[in-house]
Amino acid sequence: MTSAAIVIEDLIKCVNFAAEKHKNQRRKNPEKIPYINHPIGVAFILTNEAKITDVSVLHAALLHDTVEDTDTSFEEIENLFGKTVRGIVEEVTDDKTLPSAERKRLQIVHAPDSSFEAKLVKLADKLYNLRDLEKSAPEGWSEQRIQEYFEWSRKVVDGLRGTNVAMEQSLDEIFKKRNVI
Ligand SMILES: Nc1nc2c(ncn2[C@@H]2O[C@H](COP(=O)(O)OP(=O)(O)O)[C@@H](OP(=O)(O)OP(=O)(O)O)[C@H]2O)c(=O)[nH]1
Ligand SMILES: [Mn+2]
């Protein structure tokens, strides 16, 4: 097989793995979109808008919520996709045993110390989620909760800057529209 064929085969294996893991989950918005649309959309922002070709980053984008939100373990990811991908996924995974407010605080604190690869995944994750929020918010979210998510995201993104011009510009336009500047 050519190296291009190996890369494609590995990426399809990864999309399939993420789809299996998220198969019973839906997004929280009223449309109940399949959860897998989110990790695929994050990977697509990275290829299409951020012009990222680092395959480990694309794998990590596809897998970024599997440990946080499904029964997937870091060992499983390492066995199937290698140590580099495992490392990036570990960096972008919140500790779900902590209360939500503490997880949110830690995202702000840890953002500047993240690797370049993890920062790329985090920027794309935030961009996808903020665009999603602009379209239709999760059921039960008040205007205040939506605004707080924008304000918190701004603080996380501030710690991720200097990583990718295209994504940071798109995020800044969203923050400006929301008066979070
Ligand atoms: N905007 C939006 N978000 C949804 C929807 N369905 C699920 N989510 C997920 O919910 C998370 C944001 O909701 P919160 O209530 O703030 O998060 P929490 O569960 O971690 O406390 C995001 O997690 P995450 O991807 O891990 O990112 P992060 O917010 O933890 O950085 C996002 O992917 C939806 O319909 N719209
Ligand atoms: Mn996510």
Side-chain angles (χ1 to χ4, degrees):
M1 258 195 318
T2 65
S3 59
I6 293 169
V7 167
I8 292 165
E9 191 180 303
D10 275 355
L11 276 171
I12 299 292
K13 173 177 148 188
C14 189
V15 184
N16 186 60
F17 177 85
E20 287 282 335
K21 290 294 190 177
H22 289 296
K23 70 182 175 197
N24 294 320
Q25 292 175 296
R26 294 286 178 279
R27 299 286 283 171
K28 298 174 195 162
N29 55 14
E31 295 83 357
K32 299 272 169 294
I33 291 166
Y35 197 87
I36 190 63
N37 281 54
H38 168 60
I40 292 175
V42 170
F44 187 55
I45 287 172
L46 288 166
T47 55
N48 189 51
E49 298 177 50
K51 303 296 175 196
I52 300 305
T53 54
D54 180 341
V55 180
S56 296
V57 172
L58 302 178
H59 274 84
L62 291 166
L63 299 169
H64 81 271
D65 278 330
T66 56
V67 177
E68 206 172 289
D69 296 336
T70 79
D71 64 3
T72 309
S73 67
F74 292 122
E75 291 69 32
E76 210 175 349
I77 289 182
E78 181 170 337
N79 290 338
L80 289 167
F81 305 107
K83 269 193 198 315
T84 306
V85 174
R86 178 213 168 120
I88 306 168
V89 175
E90 246 180 320
E91 280 192 86
V92 301
T93 299
D94 287 353
D95 180 353
K96 277 275 179 112
T97 66
L98 299 173
S100 174
E102 177 64 359
R103 284 187 314 220
K104 295 237 173 297
R105 191 187 69 79
L106 288 174
Q107 280 207 32
I108 299 170
V109 172
H110 289 151
D113 306 325
S114 308
S115 67
F116 174 71
E117 291 79 6
K119 284 179 178 169
L120 286 171
V121 175
K122 291 204 71 66
L123 284 168
D125 190 23
K126 288 288 177 285
L127 187 49
Y128 185 103
N129 284 334
L130 293 176
R131 283 175 176 164
D132 221 12
L133 265 189
E134 284 183 316
K135 277 183 276 173
S136 81
E139 270 173 339
W141 280 34
S142 62
E143 246 331 293
Q144 184 189 333
R145 179 153 183 199
I146 296 169
Q147 189 64 20
E148 279 169 9
Y149 190 89
F150 276 90
E151 283 165 13
W152 165 73
S153 297
R154 167 73 211 250
K155 291 181 191 152
V156 179
V157 166
D158 280 348
L160 303 168
R161 288 185 188 278
T163 304
N164 184 268
V165 174
M167 289 194 289
E168 289 165 46
Q169 268 177 7
S170 296
L171 283 159
D172 280 338
E173 274 162 35
I174 293 173
F175 293 138
K176 215 164 130 190
K177 234 188 308 170
R178 274 266 162 183
N179 273 322
V180 191
I181 236 34

